[in-house]
Structure formats: C-alpha cells, structure tokens
Amino acid sequence: MKNIAVLVYELTIEYNATVLNGIVDFFAQKNDVRLFISPVNVPKSTTAEFDYQYWSSVDVLCSEEIDAYIIITNSFSSYLSTDQLSEYLKVLAPKPVISVSVPLNVENNYYTCVSCEDAYDKIVEHLVKKHNKTKIGFFTAAQSFSSESEVRFNAYKNALKKNGLEFNEEFVFHGDFTPGVAERVFLERIKSKDDIKFDALLCANDYTAVGVLTAFNTLGVNCPEDVCLVGFDDTEIATQSFPTLSTINQSVEETGAGAARVAYDILRGIECERKIEIPAEPVYRQSCGCVASSLQDGSSYDNNGKLRSTKYQNAERQRFYAQGSSNFTTIFELLNAMDTSISFEAYLNNLLYNFRLQNIYELSIVLYKEPVELEKDETFIVPDDANFIFHSNKVIEKRNLFLGHNQIRFNPREELIPRRYSDILPGRFLVLPIYNKTNNYGYIVALFQGHNYPLISIYGKILANSLFQAYTNSQNITKRNELILENQKLNIKSKTDELTGVLNRRGFYDYGQKLASLSSSMGKTGSVMFFDLDGLKTINDTYGHKIGDLAIKVEAQVLKAAFRDSDVVGRLSGDEFGVVAPGFPSEKVSALREKLISLNEDFSKKNNLPFTLSISVGAVNFDVDNHDIQMLLKVADENLYQEKRIKHSQK
C-alpha cells in the first residue's frame, strides 16, 4: 500500500477543492493508494486565536509510513511566501515532495504548474485586434508575495512586447488577490473616471477583477465600453459578476492530477521530470465585449471563437457547488446530534449514525498519553506514545472502543494508526488534530467518499472539537461518579432499603440532593422521577404479600437496570420509587416508558412471576435554579398522577 499525504491551507475554497478533485480522481481507480488529506492552515496563524494548532498535522504526517507528499502550494500564498513555506516543509525530506503551482526549495521536489505565457499572448492579441485596445494595464498580487502573480505579470509584459505595445508603469496596480484590497488600491490612485488613461486591465485573478468592477461602479466607469477587464482562474465568481468576466482558465484540476501522477510514478520507481507544465487558455465573456450584456447565462467563447458551454461550465465546479449549499444545513443537525454531555461511549455511538449522513466510512481516534501544550511560536513534536482508543469501519461492519485498560498503545511517529487497523482499505482520509486552546490531545483519521470537501472539512473540525468535549466531560463524569459511589459506601446500612437493596427514603433524599446540587453547580441539567408500581393492592389480595414483596423487589431491579450506576435510585415507600438522573431530560420519558415495558416483561419471566409487572412514572427537570429534591418530587408525583388517570381511563 502506498501512503501519500496531501497538505492544503483550507478545503472550503473553490481553487483548493478543484485541485484536490484532480488528485482524488487520479487515484480513484488505484487500489494500492491511501490519501491522507489535511487542511493545515499555516504555522503561527493569526486568523483565529488557536488555528495554528492545525499545522500540527504536518508533523503527524511526518510518520514513517507516509511515502510521499503533495502540497497545494498556491493555497498558502496569501499567508506565506514560497521561501517561508519551503522552510517549514523541510521536515518532510528526504521523501518526495510534489508541489502544485510553484516549486519549493526542499529536497526531492517535483512540481506541476500552469504555463500562462501563451494565454496572455492570445489575450493581448485579442484585445488589440478585436477590440482595438492599445493601452493595457495590469493589477498584480505583489502584496501577497505570490510567485504566481510575478509569473503572470512577466507573461503580461512579454505579451505586450510580442504585440508591439509599450509597457507603462502608470498602468500597473499592486494588490493581494482579494477584491477588497483591489477596490481600495484602485480608488486610492484613481479619483475619477477622467483619471483612467488605459483602455484595458488584466488582473492577477478573478477576485481582483471583481474588486476593480466595484471601483468602476463607484466612479461611473462602464465595462467594457470604457475599459475592458480580464481576470485569471475562471472561478465561479467570473460567471456570477456583472458583467461576466473574461478570464484565463488554468486547468486547475489537471494541475492536481499531474501532481498525483508524478507521486504515483515515483513510488513505482518510474523516473519523472522535475517540472510538469500545463497550458492555460483564454475565456472571453462580457467584460471584454465578446458576449452581449443582455445574456446572463454565463456564455463564453474560446480563442478560436467557439461558443463554450453555459453557466457552471467546468465539471469540477459542478461537483464543488452542487453538493455544498444544500448540504450545509446538515451541519446544524450534526451539531444538535453531538451531545457531549452523555458518556463518551454513547457519544461515539451517535457518531456512527451521523457518519452515514456525511459519507464517512471509517473513523480512528488517537489520543496522546499526555496532552502536548503548544504555544503559537513553538514547534510541535509528536509524542512517541499514544493510545488508539476508537476504530469504526462501516464497510466491514467493525467497531472497537479501547478505553481504560483496553487502550492500545503505539508510536504515532512510526504509524498513523496501528497497522492491524490501518491496512484495511485504500481511499481518502481526512486528518485533523484534536485540540483545545493550547493543549493538543491527538488526532482523528476519517475515511470518506464523495467530493464535498467543504462540508467534510467543516464536519471534521466540528467532530474533533466535540470529541474533545465529550471525552473530557466523560472523564469528569467518571470522577464525579467515583466520588458518589465512594460516598454511597458510607453509612450504607442506614441508608439502604432492606427488601430491595436500593436506597431507602432517607438515603434517596440525601444522595439524590447531593447529586442534583453537584450537577447543577457544574451547569448540568437532568430529571427527578417519581415511580409507582401498578396494581400492588391487587397483587397482594390475589397472590399474597410474599409475592407482593417479590414484585416490589423485582421492580427495584428493573429500575436499576434502566438507569446508570451513577444515577440515584431509591424506594420512597411501599410501592413508590424515586430516581435522580443527571443528563436525562424529562422529554425523553416516552422512550424510557418503552424501555421499562420491555424490562418488566423480561424480569417478570426471569423471576417466575404469575403476572407482568407494570410501573407509572412522573418526571420533572432540575437545573441550576431549581434543584430542591423534595419540591421536585412533589411536581413529579403530580405528573405521575396524571399518567395514572390516563391508564385508568384506558381500562
């Protein structure tokens, strides 16, 4: 099995997802490759307070079992120069590093890039011969320190020379690939329509062109009548702007496929060229005057005058957008489903259902033996001791939870997950860190299908965050439960009901109140429940008090089976019981009733009772402001009375 890591700044950006499409599609029919894809942000990130933690995935993917790396280099260009990125990625050496868009100054580097020289020649020739434009300017992204911007700028200058035009520095603007900066830079220099001395403007990318269009609207400049405008990238925004943008399609997906092809060939021992060039092609729309402004279907022409397909022309764009907008609503469903107040095992069980919604087929969870404290300016070092605590594979219907003494210890520097679990399937895996503020706890590895990278990435981050919350909450619950159990051992005889073995009335009020108060002090809610055994008088009259006592004893066993060890169960009087259950809302009582019916049937048979037990319940929530057990039991008793009335009316 060949293991290839793909590093990208973020997956919610169309360009990055399109490059990834090319990589993923190349390997789709390869049964001997696993892709480990990780959105790593940038080291020392300032976009959010602790986003720098995502860069720790780079060090995780330095694992000995990774054979090669693909870097979507341009995705980092707004945040790091190529030299800076190269310096950070030297840790990947000496394994093959294949970069997309620009070369990296790292050992054993190969790269794919778009050749834009010919495309700019064609664009400038088109503007001169078809639209009679002779004063052509350029808007760079020099502020981003992007080498690609420099390549495009040089290609523009060469195209001017080939077409007999003079380069004029006054026609050049410098931005950073973003529309807001482009608008600001343009308006700082051009105060009115009369200040514009050029008749066409080429931009480093489509977003820069959109920023210029906004500035045009402010100044009353008509495009293309006053100035023709050309972008670069042929992104979705090019067909959504008004006028639609003439631009350059740089075969983004093919750059990813080319990088994948190089990585695959290298790992098979095939010699490869260090540089793979992919030609870009012009796309002509409304902003240069080739398509009438009345047409709003995204129509465009290629350099030969052939009409291209309409809106959402590129297959990769269709995949990016078709799945995204409608499915983003499921994020809120997932957030609601990720109840971190429950036990860690119950939380993981909930995840299995949600995986089916998101095309996640396998999940592995690794936690370091001790959390690693990582500040923004520090270098992350992967510990050599970690616990493999969870693995679920939907394809082969296998699920393993390794908690407590069952945890599997291994060295993550040697393998991402223990090999007996990692050699199951080829495919694409999302790798994300588990962290909270400055503490890095481990990582997840999730096998997924489909091309909905934005949603998968967001879901993965939500998953990693909620997983941390669930795990730590579960540890707190465990510690709290241990304290409660220890307390329950004290004075056990004086607070235990002799017949049933559960707490007596005194013990229930004591421990129940402590549990409700402790839970409330931690901001937790739960339920206080009042139970009444149905038909005890009839049982005593028909079968005698000995069977009646057995019925009470068995019903206590039913309640203990229905609730957790950490919940408080007590006998309040002859046939009445109380329960305090943190984390259990009264709204779930309907499901509890069904569970009790089933348990009563089972326990009645096991104890050879000549009848089937039945019990009624009333419940009320407790919270921070209302956790007095005696008052809550009164309300629960009133609710139970209502249920009793309903049962009697149905007889």
Side-chain angles (χ1 to χ4, degrees):
M1 188 71 69
K2 301 171 182 64
N3 297 311
I4 300 173
V6 180
L7 306 181
V8 58
Y9 171 76
E10 181 57 79
L11 289 175
T12 57
I13 300 169
E14 181 188 354
Y15 169 84
N16 302 345
T18 304
V19 174
L20 188 57
N21 275 337
I23 297 170
V24 167
D25 287 351
F26 176 83
F27 290 117
Q29 303 304 317
K30 306 291 189 295
N31 294 320
D32 59 345
V33 172
R34 293 186 304 168
L35 286 177
F36 294 95
I37 301 163
S38 186
V40 297
N41 207 284
V42 292
K44 306 177 183 179
S45 169
T46 57
T47 54
E49 189 172 5
F50 300 103
D51 270 5
Y52 66 85
Q53 289 272 18
Y54 286 107
W55 190 259
S56 66
S57 294
V58 175
D59 299 276
V60 169
L61 290 168
C62 284
S63 168
E64 292 178 11
E65 71 176 340
I66 299 297
D67 302 307
Y69 300 89
I70 298 175
I71 317 297
I72 303 180
T73 315
N74 196 42
S75 67
F76 300 94
S77 62
S78 295
Y79 309 94
L80 296 172
S81 68
T82 302
D83 288 341
Q84 288 174 319
L85 182 62
S86 298
E87 190 63 30
Y88 284 121
L89 294 178
K90 285 183 177 179
V91 295
L92 307 180
K95 295 176 182 178
V97 177
I98 300 90
S99 53
V100 177
S101 74
V102 294
L104 293 170
N105 184 24
V106 297
E107 183 182 350
N108 212 10
N109 179 229
Y110 301 76
Y111 73 102
T112 62
C113 64
V114 173
S115 174
C116 59
E117 289 280 344
D118 187 54
Y120 273 113
D121 289 346
K122 293 174 180 176
I123 285 278
V124 172
E125 182 181 27
H126 175 83
L127 291 172
V128 171
K129 293 185 176 179
K130 183 161 185 177
H131 301 294
N132 300 315
K133 305 300 180 182
T134 58
K135 299 177 181 179
I136 303 174
F138 196 88
F139 210 124
T140 78
Q143 293 183 23
S144 68
F145 307 104
S146 167
S147 58
E148 283 195 317
S149 172
E150 185 177 354
V151 168
R152 294 169 194 176
F153 186 40
N154 289 332
Y156 147 78
K157 289 190 287 186
N158 291 335
L160 291 181
K161 187 175 181 180
K162 289 180 182 179
N163 286 275
L165 300 179
E166 292 291 330
F167 169 73
N168 190 331
E169 186 66 45
E170 294 182 3
F171 297 167
V172 177
F173 300 82
H174 300 291
D176 69 350
F177 284 132
T178 63
V181 170
E183 178 187 5
R184 176 178 56 78
V185 168
F186 192 88
L187 292 176
E188 284 176 354
R189 279 188 40 195
I190 306 298
K191 303 300 183 182
S192 70
K193 180 178 178 179
D194 294 336
D195 292 338
I196 298 177
K197 306 303 180 184
F198 46 86
D199 50 22
L201 186 64
L202 310 185
C203 297
N205 75 340
D206 294 336
Y207 289 95
T208 298
V210 168
V212 173
L213 278 177
T214 304
F216 280 0
N217 290 333
T218 301
L219 299 173
V221 177
N222 295 316
C223 177
E225 292 82 3
D226 297 325
V227 179
C228 288
L229 195 63
V230 178
F232 195 103
D233 284 337
D234 196 19
T235 55
E236 166 66 5
I237 199 171
T239 59
Q240 294 297 291
S241 65
F242 183 78
T244 56
L245 281 176
S246 297
T247 185
I248 293 176
N249 186 303
Q250 56 174 326
S251 304
V252 173
E253 188 165 342
E254 182 54 34
T255 62
R261 191 178 300 110
V262 171
Y264 192 62
D265 286 347
I266 291 172
L267 296 184
R268 292 187 300 157
I270 299 173
E271 188 173 342
C272 298
E273 296 289 334
R274 293 282 176 174
K275 178 180 179 181
I276 307 295
E277 286 192 321
I278 299 164
E281 290 293 334
V283 179
Y284 302 113
R285 296 192 180 96
Q286 293 173 344
S287 66
C288 73
C290 284
V291 176
S293 60
S294 58
L295 293 178
Q296 293 301 308
D297 62 354
S299 297
S300 63
Y301 293 89
D302 63 19
N303 204 64
N304 296 318
K306 182 180 178 181
L307 181 66
R308 301 172 84 232
S309 56
T310 55
K311 191 176 181 181
Y312 302 124
Q313 296 136 11
N314 300 317
E316 66 268 21
R317 185 176 303 150
Q318 285 181 312
R319 285 186 289 180
F320 181 81
Y321 285 95
Q323 302 178 67
S325 59
S326 62
N327 285 341
F328 268 101
T329 57
T330 63
I331 291 176
F332 299 103
E333 297 173 10
L334 296 170
L335 283 169
N336 291 332
M338 290 179 176
D339 181 4
T340 58
S341 65
I342 58 179
S343 71
F344 190 54
E345 184 170 3
Y347 165 83
L348 293 173
N349 283 328
N350 284 352
L351 289 184
L352 298 181
Y353 170 74
N354 293 319
F355 290 169
R356 294 194 291 272
L357 299 179
Q358 298 307 316
N359 291 326
I360 291 181
Y361 288 82
E362 180 177 318
L363 176 68
S364 297
I365 301 173
V366 173
L367 296 179
Y368 304 129
K369 185 180 178 182
E370 297 292 339
V372 179
E373 186 171 357
L374 181 65
E375 299 289 347
K376 184 184 300 183
D377 296 327
E378 295 177 338
T379 299
F380 182 74
I381 299 176
V382 179
D384 59 6
D385 192 357
N387 294 317
F388 183 59
I389 67 165
F390 180 76
H391 178 261
S392 175
N393 189 307
K394 195 177 89 171
V395 176
I396 61 175
E397 298 298 333
K398 186 174 183 179
R399 176 184 178 276
N400 295 285
L401 181 63
F402 311 106
L403 294 177
H405 298 299
N406 294 322
Q407 290 179 345
I408 297 177
R409 301 276 289 274
F410 77 108
N411 186 348
R413 297 181 188 177
E414 298 175 353
E415 50 189 350
L416 288 176
I417 58 177
R419 288 193 175 89
R420 59 176 142 159
Y421 297 97
S422 65
D423 287 335
I424 297 172
L425 291 172
R428 68 202 75 153
F429 297 79
L430 183 70
V431 179
L432 287 169
I434 301 170
Y435 72 90
N436 181 53
K437 297 182 179 179
T438 60
N439 284 330
N440 194 303
Y441 291 86
Y443 54 89
I444 63 171
V445 181
L447 172 68
F448 67 95
Q449 292 186 0
H451 292 80
N452 199 351
Y453 311 120
L455 190 61
I456 289 292
S457 175
I458 292 173
Y459 176 54
K461 291 178 180 181
I462 293 172
L463 165 63
N465 180 67
S466 64
L467 189 150
F468 158 77
Q469 296 293 339
Y471 185 68
T472 54
N473 286 346
S474 186
Q475 287 183 316
N476 290 336
I477 291 172
T478 299
K479 292 177 182 178
R480 185 186 69 201
N481 293 345
E482 290 173 352
L483 175 63
I484 293 171
L485 290 174
E486 184 64 28
N487 289 336
Q488 287 178 342
K489 292 177 182 178
L490 302 175
N491 302 319
I492 192 68
K493 289 184 179 180
S494 65
K495 296 181 180 180
T496 301
D497 180 63
E498 185 176 351
L499 174 64
T500 61
V502 299
L503 293 170
N504 59 22
R505 186 181 186 88
R506 175 189 171 192
F508 176 78
Y509 277 113
D510 188 358
Y511 291 121
Q513 186 62 66
K514 287 178 180 178
L515 180 57
S517 299
L518 178 61
S519 299
S520 300
S521 69
M522 297 174 65
K524 304 296 182 183
T525 61
S527 291
V528 173
M529 284 167 270
F530 198 108
F531 293 88
D532 185 80
L533 180 63
D534 295 331
L536 180 61
K537 184 177 184 305
T538 301
I539 293 172
N540 286 330
D541 292 345
T542 305
Y543 302 102
H545 286 277
K546 185 175 181 179
I547 296 298
D549 287 347
L550 178 59
I552 294 171
K553 184 176 180 180
V554 172
E555 193 59 55
Q557 295 172 2
V558 167
L559 291 175
K560 288 177 68 176
F563 291 93
R564 301 164 296 186
D565 291 340
S566 58
D567 298 327
V568 171
V569 179
R571 183 185 178 197
L572 304 179
S573 65
D575 58 353
E576 295 175 339
F577 296 87
V579 173
V580 177
F584 184 96
S586 62
E587 290 77 14
K588 291 185 178 181
V589 166
S590 295
L592 175 63
R593 288 191 182 98
E594 297 298 321
K595 184 177 182 179
L596 289 172
I597 290 172
S598 177
L599 288 171
N600 274 318
E601 290 178 353
D602 292 342
F603 277 74
S604 296
K605 290 178 182 178
K606 289 178 182 178
N607 289 274
N608 298 315
L609 291 175
F611 48 82
T612 299
L613 291 170
S614 173
I615 195 168
S616 299
V617 57
V620 62
N621 287 333
F622 70 79
D623 54 32
V624 174
D625 299 320
N626 188 14
H627 51 86
D628 182 274
I629 294 298
Q630 293 192 29
M631 296 300 296
L632 291 168
L633 274 176
K634 289 180 180 179
V635 178
D637 188 17
E638 292 172 1
N639 293 338
L640 179 144
Y641 178 72
Q642 296 299 324
E643 180 173 333
K644 285 279 191 181
R645 289 185 59 187
I646 294 173
K647 283 187 176 181
H648 286 305
S649 67
Q650 292 175 344
K651 290 184 178 179

